[in-house]
Amino acid sequence: MSITKDEVIHVAKLARLKFTDEELEKYSHQLDNIIKYVDKLNELNTDDVEPTAHIVPISNVFREDEVVPSMDREKILMNAKEKEDGCFKVPKIIE
Amino acid sequence: MELHELKIHELHDLLKNKEVSAVDVTKAFLERIKEVEPQVDALISITEEYALKKAEEADKMIQDGNINDLTGIPVIIKDNMCTENIKTTCASKMLEDFVPPYNATVVEKLNNLGAVMVGKANLDEFAMGSSTENSAFKTTKNPWDLSRVPGGSSGGSAASVAADECAFSLGSDTGGSIRQPASLCGVVGMKPTYGLVSRYGLVAFASSLDQIGPITKDVTDCAIVLNAITGHDPKDSTSVDNVRKSDYKEFLKDEIKGMKIGYAKEFFRQGLDEGVKKSIENALKTFEELGAEIREISLKYMDYALAAYYIVASAEASSNLARYDGIRYGHAAEKYEDLIDMYMVSRSEGFGKEVKRRIMLGTYALSSGYYDAYYNKALKVRTLIKQDYEKAFQDVDVIVGPTSPTVAFKIGERVEDPLAMYLADVYTVPVNIAGLPGLSLPCGLSEGLPVGLQIVGKHFDEGTILNAAYAFEKACNFTAKPSFKGGAK
Amino acid sequence: MMNYEAVIGLEVHAELLTKTKIFCNCTTEFGGEPNTHVCPVCLGLPGTLPVLNKKVVEYAVKAGLALNCEISKFSKMDRKNYFYPDLPKAYQISQYDLPLCKNGYVEIETSDGVKKKIGLTRIHIEEDAGKLMHENVDGSLVDYNRTGVPLIEIVSEPDMRTPEEAYLYLTKLKSVLEYSEVSDCKMQEGSLRVDTNVSVRPAGSKEFGTKIELKNLNSFKAVQRALEYEIKRQIKLIENGEKVVQETRRWNEQKGITEAMRSKEEAHDYRYFPDPDLVPIIVSDEWKEEIRKSLPEMPEHKKERFVAQYGIPEYDASVITASKPLADFFEKCVLEYSSAKTVSNWIMGEMMRLLKETGKEVEEVLIKPHQMASLLNLIDNGTITGSIAKTVFEEMFATGKNPEEIVDEKGLKQLSNEDELRKIALKVIEDNPKSVEDYKNGKDKAIGFLVGQIMKATKGKANPQLANKILLEELSK
């Protein structure tokens, strides 16, 4: 399989990335090469193989339902560029 | 010998015997940093004031009789681990001004022991790369030859240890990012078993593969740092306790008679440098002379590990990096048309090329219609690789081989060819896929550049690796130091 | 004209009553200044990791058991990836293909007495997002207090055929969740949210029509009304030969119509994959049984038990058990007073009346069950009359005082002293010659009037039976 330029544009939108036409050309080409490389996985028959999502065989890791004081709002807002009235600020959204 | 040339355990002896103070030691390393940084460019931040303050606290601890192996020892932390109130950039424009309000668990641990952080190390942006050329701010140079790469992504961490800018550093390893730069820089680097070291505070790249580990000047120091950073963390659901709960220094024995050492025939492949091959063959001979038994094993899925890795790592990365939109922290676009455009501009301006490439690949691999063909397929191949190793470890105690197919390559040589760059990880990646521990230590020189030997062990069997490494290190007696070739000394 | 039937499904999100959020230890308390219930984890700062709150799993399993679901032995958390400012990690940790609970049901009874089982496809756990506020002119504001609050998502099978059934499903679901004590289900506070999807098809057809999703439903009644409107709208379209376009529509409460929403996004590709930061959840049989034991008795069961154990009519039982606090009050009272029917009558009568008048919730009522029992005993032993008791009850409701105190304070004791009554009776006879005349002439009804006069003279305290007896004695003299 290989990736078409249209697919690259679609994926870019899904990932919220923007490219110039020149970059799009270059990325399409590079991605195509990489995808052709990873296609070699299809040489392997994995019909009877279970996927491994977690390499450590642990389960049921939990914590107790005990309240711990939250972080100071000042610290929470510390790294935001746009803020107002104790909130983070984004472009106006019309719902 | 100068203070900055000493190892952790050597500095510890001086501090314990009160022959030097922690402040003296820190000042010496800060001096060294000033001296060599202009050539090496290993650091994004030098935390001088902070370090001196921490050194004073360390001296107080020592005075109170409260000294441990790392008290007063200068360390450099890779700049993708959160340090409270100290800029943590991940070498990305996206996080250029990011100041975390909390410490990573490993940083907290080192602080409690009295270690002294002197700086944050450069890396490939968001830990994606094998040469540190993907940093948005600077390219670190290999102290052995300043026209060459230090490896990556923990290139700054490895170079800073090789250049004596610290006594040890912490790196992170997702596909070889500790071991490969350690190999290229002639130092010791270890990736612990997945789950042994808390990832809390490590800016995530690929969650099921990332691990933090030590980069040190010798195997003894590596054991010391492992002691300090391992252990279950309730803040990390994937962290476990070492079932053995031991002091890793206990494994520093030079006796390895009867140890079964595996060497995979698949290691002899296209792309393996002749000089590297020779060094590895010599290393195997050394093991034999020490009384170990060399056995040939087969890791038949090794060649598929790289493909599986790139799918899994990129997929997880595409999700982990989706949070970077400039709203709560990070680079925020100034000109945009609407909400969606704001996301696109902030992210496109903030991320570098390699990061964008991997986000695209990862998004594609997870997208509707492709999940089974790519992501799920890669997870299945992961099972095969895991089983491959399990089978091999029935016959051997550790598996030994090259860390990197080549010695340090020239800066700029592979940057335009992502696939060529990815192939640098062919020996290290399968280890991450299987979650196994792996260590790299220098075993010789080729063309005047260090060659790294990789020792891989069973899950949670860091002890046997340390044993094999310690014995080898002693026998090999690698004492070469970088010469800063190509620069003023 | 063709007959059409509607096919309705409901998706309900309920906030769980845990003290802390699902993946961190921040409080889930409602309200609070913006961004004051936030920590690095729920803010999604780089490097942070989630750790699952055990109580969330317990409560979800509890709800699943109460709703007759199969509890999955093995389930996991997945990431649902999309971009929106109220989602700090740009993914929601939820459950995709292996939810905690599956294949449950809720029983409803329609107004024509038909009992029906509405299937539940699944229940899964997930984290809530933050809140966006759009009052500002130059931007929207984000408050992450709510990010990470634990939710269960309950998805029904498309088994409902009328808006009424949807309404009944929701009231039953709410009752079960309240009884299970896992959620307080307050739609006004946002702890319960409902989305619905509806399509129409020719009656008897097996194929499904185009499904429309409806949002912005703020009460159960609104759900019913919105469905009624939408079904009519779809049928009209089809009858006009037009196609129903698949879309999400918004219920406009003021206008009473559904409106197409601004097409703001293309269909989401959520790119679900197992969250690598969290490990699988295994609910062993032992754990499941432990949770099952902790389940309070469910409304259906309680109702049946009340009928069997206390012999009260089914209607009374269903009214009383619709609210758990009311059912508890009833039972505690019956422990101390033998006639369950009497208690039931008082609850259905005076209690419900006062609750309605004052707008109070059952939990706020000041009367304790043992006080109720005392009151009823006071009637039985003749201390007060039945009608006086109602006055006393009102006072108890308002003040929470003991009935004995109130009777004493207000001098409400029943007048049973024969001599006193005789005196009053004689006075009444004297004052009402015409009625006496009427009685002597055969009008038995006049006795009622005369007893009434005695009651009036004694301000209702006279023992009516005794007053009647004495009156008759005197009149026959």
Side-chain angles (χ1 to χ4, degrees), chain C residues 289-319:
Chain C
E289 285 319 302
E290 225 181 275
I291 297 173
R292 193 196 296 278
K293 281 201 194 92
S294 77
L295 252 183
E297 185 184 31
M298 290 291 107
E300 203 56 55
H301 203 253
K302 203 185 275 288
K303 183 186 91 173
E304 283 163 21
R305 182 170 65 79
F306 277 16
V307 170
Q309 190 174 345
Y310 303 116
I312 59 174
E314 195 171 327
Y315 178 71
D316 294 22
S318 61
V319 170

Side-chain angles (χ1 to χ4, degrees), chain A residues 10 13-16 53-54 56 58-73 76-77 84-95, chain C residues 18-26 34-38 40 51-55 83-84 133-134 136 138-142 144 271 275 278-282:
Chain A
H10 173 70
K13 197 155 179 214
L14 273 182
R16 295 295 188 261
H54 293 97
V56 206
I58 54 178
S59 60
N60 286 3
V61 175
F62 300 126
R63 58 172 182 81
E64 293 304 309
D65 190 30
E66 296 301 330
V67 176
V68 169
S70 296
M71 184 168 268
D72 270 341
R73 182 157 74 185
I76 294 294
L77 293 170
E84 197 176 297
D85 293 338
C87 294
F88 297 89
K89 197 163 173 195
V90 296
K92 186 75 190 266
I93 298 166
I94 305 153
E95 280 188 332
Chain C
T18 55
K19 287 188 273 181
T20 61
K21 295 185 176 183
I22 187 172
F23 296 119
C24 68
N25 296 83
C26 286
N35 294 302
T36 54
H37 296 165
V38 179
V51 184
L52 183 54
N53 180 343
K54 190 172 187 182
K55 261 255 147 49
F83 292 89
Y84 207 56
M133 294 163 286
H134 312 289
N136 283 37
D138 63 340
S140 291
L141 299 180
V142 200
Y144 293 109
R271 288 161 276 132
D275 194 327
L278 292 163
V279 298
I281 303 164
I282 297 183

Side-chain angles (χ1 to χ4, degrees), chain C residues 209-429:
Chain C
T210 308
K211 207 164 59 168
I212 299 297
E213 204 189 337
L214 298 179
K215 286 191 178 286
N216 195 40
L217 306 161
N218 295 319
S219 68
F220 293 170
K221 276 296 173 201
V223 174
Q224 189 171 4
R225 282 197 294 266
L227 284 169
E228 280 160 1
Y229 174 85
E230 181 59 24
I231 290 166
K232 283 203 193 87
R233 185 191 77 91
Q234 289 186 21
I235 292 174
K236 201 155 166 207
L237 279 175
I238 296 175
E239 285 179 340
N240 281 349
E242 289 173 61
K243 266 186 94 181
V244 176
V245 173
Q246 196 204 34
E247 57 182 350
T248 301
R249 294 176 72 85
R250 193 178 172 280
W251 170 245
N252 186 319
E253 185 72 41
Q254 288 96 318
K255 294 193 187 152
I257 62 170
T258 63
E259 311 168 309
M261 282 173 84
R262 247 174 247 259
S263 57
K264 47 172 180 165
E265 334 111 354
E266 27 351 91
H268 284 296
D269 179 357
Y270 292 120
R271 288 161 276 132
Y272 285 99
F273 71 100
D275 194 327
D277 291 328
L278 292 163
V279 298
I281 303 164
I282 297 183
V283 181
S284 65
D285 287 334
E286 289 83 28
W287 194 15
K288 188 172 72 177
E289 285 319 302
E290 225 181 275
I291 297 173
R292 193 196 296 278
K293 281 201 194 92
S294 77
L295 252 183
E297 185 184 31
M298 290 291 107
E300 203 56 55
H301 203 253
K302 203 185 275 288
K303 183 186 91 173
E304 283 163 21
R305 182 170 65 79
F306 277 16
V307 170
Q309 190 174 345
Y310 303 116
I312 59 174
E314 195 171 327
Y315 178 71
D316 294 22
S318 61
V319 170
I320 292 174
T321 57
S323 151
K324 187 167 185 294
L326 199 56
D328 288 343
F329 184 95
F330 169 82
E331 268 204 297
K332 288 201 182 106
C333 194
V334 170
L335 278 177
E336 310 196 29
Y337 184 79
S338 51
S339 170
K341 186 72 177 78
T342 310
V343 176
S344 161
N345 286 344
W346 274 84
I347 290 180
M348 304 274 289
E350 294 305 296
M351 177 78 95
M352 298 296 272
R353 174 179 71 84
L354 287 170
L355 283 171
K356 195 166 174 192
E357 273 172 32
T358 58
K360 276 198 177 164
E361 293 290 332
V362 178
E363 296 92 321
E364 295 170 285
V365 168
L366 297 169
I367 306 176
K368 303 242 179 359
H370 72 89
Q371 291 172 321
M372 175 93 234
S374 297
L375 179 71
L376 296 175
N377 278 322
L378 287 177
I379 303 173
D380 284 353
N381 65 29
T383 309
I384 53 176
T385 64
S387 60
I388 289 288
K390 288 190 180 154
T391 314
V392 176
F393 187 81
E394 272 186 39
E395 188 66 23
M396 282 164 73
F397 191 95
T399 64
K401 281 195 186 149
N402 284 323
E404 296 87 352
E405 274 177 64
I406 296 169
V407 166
D408 269 339
E409 277 171 28
K410 304 217 167 182
L412 296 171
K413 274 212 174 85
Q414 183 167 237
L415 188 53
S416 298
N417 183 312
E418 284 214 27
D419 292 332
E420 277 207 50
L421 271 178
R422 204 169 291 274
K423 278 200 202 117
I424 295 168
L426 287 169
K427 180 99 186 3
V428 162
I429 289 173

Side-chain angles (χ1 to χ4, degrees), chain B residues 123-153:
Chain B
L123 59 150
D124 278 301
E125 191 182 351
F126 281 105
M128 297 181 194
S130 310
S131 66
T132 311
E133 290 168 292
N134 292 327
S135 164
F137 307 129
K138 50 172 81 179
T139 299
T140 302
K141 330 282 189 292
N142 191 321
W144 293 79
D145 179 338
L146 302 170
S147 69
R148 292 177 184 264
V149 302
S153 61

